[in-house]
Amino acid sequence: MGPPQSMRGPHTFHVTLDVFRRPLRDLRISVTDRCNFRCVYCMPKEVFGKDYAFLPQAMVLTFEEIARLVRIFVDLGVEKIRLTGGEPLVRRDLEKLVAMISPLGELDITLTTNGSLLAAKAKPLADAGLKRITVSLDSLDDATFKKMNDVDFPAQKVLDGIAASEAAGLAPIKVNMVVRRGLNEDSILPMARHFRGTGHILRFIEYMDVGSSNGWRLDDVVPMREIVATIDKEFPLEALEPAYRGEVAARYRYKDGAGEIGIISSVTQPFCADCTRARLSADGKLYTCLFATEGHDLRALLRSGKSDDEIRAALEAVWSARDDRYSELRSAETAGLKKIEMSFIGG
Ligand code: SAM
């Protein structure tokens, strides 16, 4: 590959491309490294126990700092913002951040949440400018769901949060289910039955080797083709074209017209070639890949009095040098690398 390249995009301004000519379109912002769940595949209690040292407040970006960065990222071509975590709704007054960033451009602002606090938060978030929402739900069966969230949290409360989001107009709602062999593959069909015909889009996620604390093994992954075959047997499916470049989910529709599902198969069908995402951790580090081992410290730039132009130049330099394509290179060896935890960098 040649040197960093640039082109004129759909915007009137200059678009920065990375080494593989991928533009920067999406920014995922982790607003906290804390979560009220202890999902066994993400923040297992053995690692994230009572003594775990979460970030002290002074190290976490303020809403003003986040909003300033968003303004600069929008100048660089970012069109979509996803707030995540940790659990984003454990950060107090999150709707204030949404209200601060929604006037900064024609932005698609969305949020990924475990849904536990959503029933009370959906309306204030929508009023502040949130457009859509993704809710994680790994099973409707309480025994299975509680085994996975490991804090005894019932599925019905998450369904209440989904209903409140629908009432608040946060549509279309996406529901994400991580499938892990031996834990919840039995929940694939009940989840499909429950959500087909509701207008919500159920998306199955292959269990990934993010971070280093979940003890990932390839055997734990239920591959996309198996998920599709399981559903197709009861509800015939047909593949759909991606809605836009960089869409992570492979889409299928129910042939009887009851809606669509998505599969996020980062393990068996990597989508690095179209990846237009950057990730900002709660302490202000920029990561150019979910599987990155190191980030770029934007908090240091913000807090050392750099101007917007200087920060923009630094971001352009990081993005033009970006050559990550971890999922395409994944192997038994890379799975063992010391990577950043998903709860830290955001899903
Ligand atoms: N707390 C929020 C939530 O539950 O959606 C946002 C953060 S969470 C890290 C984002 C998403 O990542 C969730 O859907 C979660 O299930 C998923 N996730 C976490 N660890 C994963 C793994 N090892 N493989 C695949 N997905 C994972």
Side-chain angles (χ1 to χ4, degrees):
M1 272 297 152
Q5 319 218 14
S6 296
M7 66 171 187
R8 295 271 162 193
H11 304 270
T12 49
F13 47 82
H14 202 59
V15 174
T16 305
L17 300 179
D18 74 3
V19 168
F20 298 123
R21 302 189 59 80
R22 298 167 295 189
L24 170 57
R25 291 276 182 254
D26 316 58
L27 179 63
R28 301 197 170 196
I29 304 174
S30 172
V31 294
T32 178
D33 60 335
R34 290 164 203 256
C35 187
N36 55 347
F37 281 15
R38 283 294 174 274
C39 296
V40 291
Y41 57 82
C42 185
M43 292 182 78
K45 276 182 181 161
E46 312 85 81
V47 180
F48 297 87
K50 274 196 208 65
D51 299 330
Y52 184 81
F54 287 100
L55 290 170
Q57 204 184 341
M59 287 174 68
V60 173
L61 293 189
T62 64
F63 286 170
E64 287 72 19
E65 288 171 328
I66 295 175
R68 183 173 170 211
L69 286 177
V70 168
R71 195 158 20 86
I72 300 170
F73 274 105
V74 169
D75 275 355
L76 291 174
V78 163
E79 299 166 340
K80 182 169 163 189
I81 305 279
R82 178 176 297 280
L83 302 177
T84 178
E87 170 48 42
L89 297 186
V90 304
R91 176 112 185 225
R92 200 182 305 153
D93 300 328
L94 190 70
E95 60 280 11
K96 288 192 180 152
L97 176 65
V98 174
M100 287 163 78
I101 59 181
S102 67
L104 298 178
E106 284 289 304
L107 288 174
D108 181 16
I109 307 177
T110 177
L111 171 93
T112 302
T113 173
N114 62 27
S116 59
L117 304 168
L118 194 53
K121 281 287 187 176
K123 174 121 183 23
L125 286 164
D127 290 346
L130 191 74
K131 302 259 171 39
R132 298 183 294 112
I133 201 153
T134 300
V135 181
S136 303
L137 178 60
D138 294 335
S139 181
L140 293 165
D141 170 64
D142 263 342
T144 306
F145 186 48
K146 289 178 178 184
K147 206 195 288 176
M148 292 183 83
N149 65 53
D150 212 13
V151 292
D152 213 30
F153 200 87
Q156 183 57 47
K157 282 202 169 178
V158 180
L159 295 176
D160 295 345
I162 293 175
S165 304
E166 190 174 6
L170 293 169
I173 297 170
K174 290 181 182 155
V175 178
N176 276 1
M177 167 179 172
V178 175
V179 187
R180 181 160 158 187
R181 176 85 68 207
L183 262 179
N184 66 338
E185 67 220 275
D186 293 351
S187 299
I188 294 173
L189 264 176
M191 287 281 283
R193 285 185 200 121
H194 182 89
F195 286 106
R196 42 181 261 115
T198 62
H200 309 331
I201 302 171
L202 177 60
R203 306 193 315 165
F204 300 91
I205 305 181
E206 285 180 348
Y207 172 55
M208 295 182 289
D209 53 328
V210 278
S212 308
S213 51
N214 66 8
W216 184 87
R217 295 175 317 141
L218 190 55
D219 290 351
D220 296 330
V221 178
V222 179
M224 162 162 154
R225 62 176 145 50
E226 190 178 323
I227 298 172
V228 172
T230 303
I231 299 175
D232 183 67
K233 232 190 263 170
E234 184 165 324
F235 304 113
L237 292 168
E238 70 189 4
L240 290 169
E241 288 299 309
Y244 53 89
R245 180 185 177 188
E247 183 169 58
V248 293
R251 298 163 64 215
Y252 291 81
R253 66 179 283 275
Y254 291 112
K255 282 189 178 161
D256 66 3
E260 69 175 79
I261 60 163
I263 320 258
I264 300 175
S265 54
S266 124
V267 179
T268 64
Q269 293 193 357
F271 34 81
C272 303
D274 273 337
C275 179
T276 55
R277 273 173 297 284
R279 297 177 145 85
L280 182 64
S281 63
D283 62 346
K285 292 217 173 66
L286 181 69
Y287 294 89
T288 52
C289 176
L290 177 56
F291 302 94
T293 49
E294 265 174 61
H296 306 266
D297 191 356
L298 303 187
R299 190 188 61 201
L301 299 180
L302 289 166
R303 295 189 184 174
S304 62
K306 295 275 188 268
S307 68
D308 285 6
D309 282 345
E310 286 170 311
I311 296 177
R312 187 179 303 110
L315 295 181
E316 273 184 311
V318 169
W319 192 262
S320 351
R322 174 188 193 243
D323 62 357
D324 311 81
R325 51 189 193 100
Y326 176 88
S327 289
E328 290 179 352
L329 305 173
R330 178 185 279 114
S331 65
E333 287 88 70
T334 54
L337 288 175
K338 179 88 190 123
K339 300 187 271 349
I340 307 298
E341 296 297 331
M342 184 109 156
S343 57
F344 191 78
I345 197 174

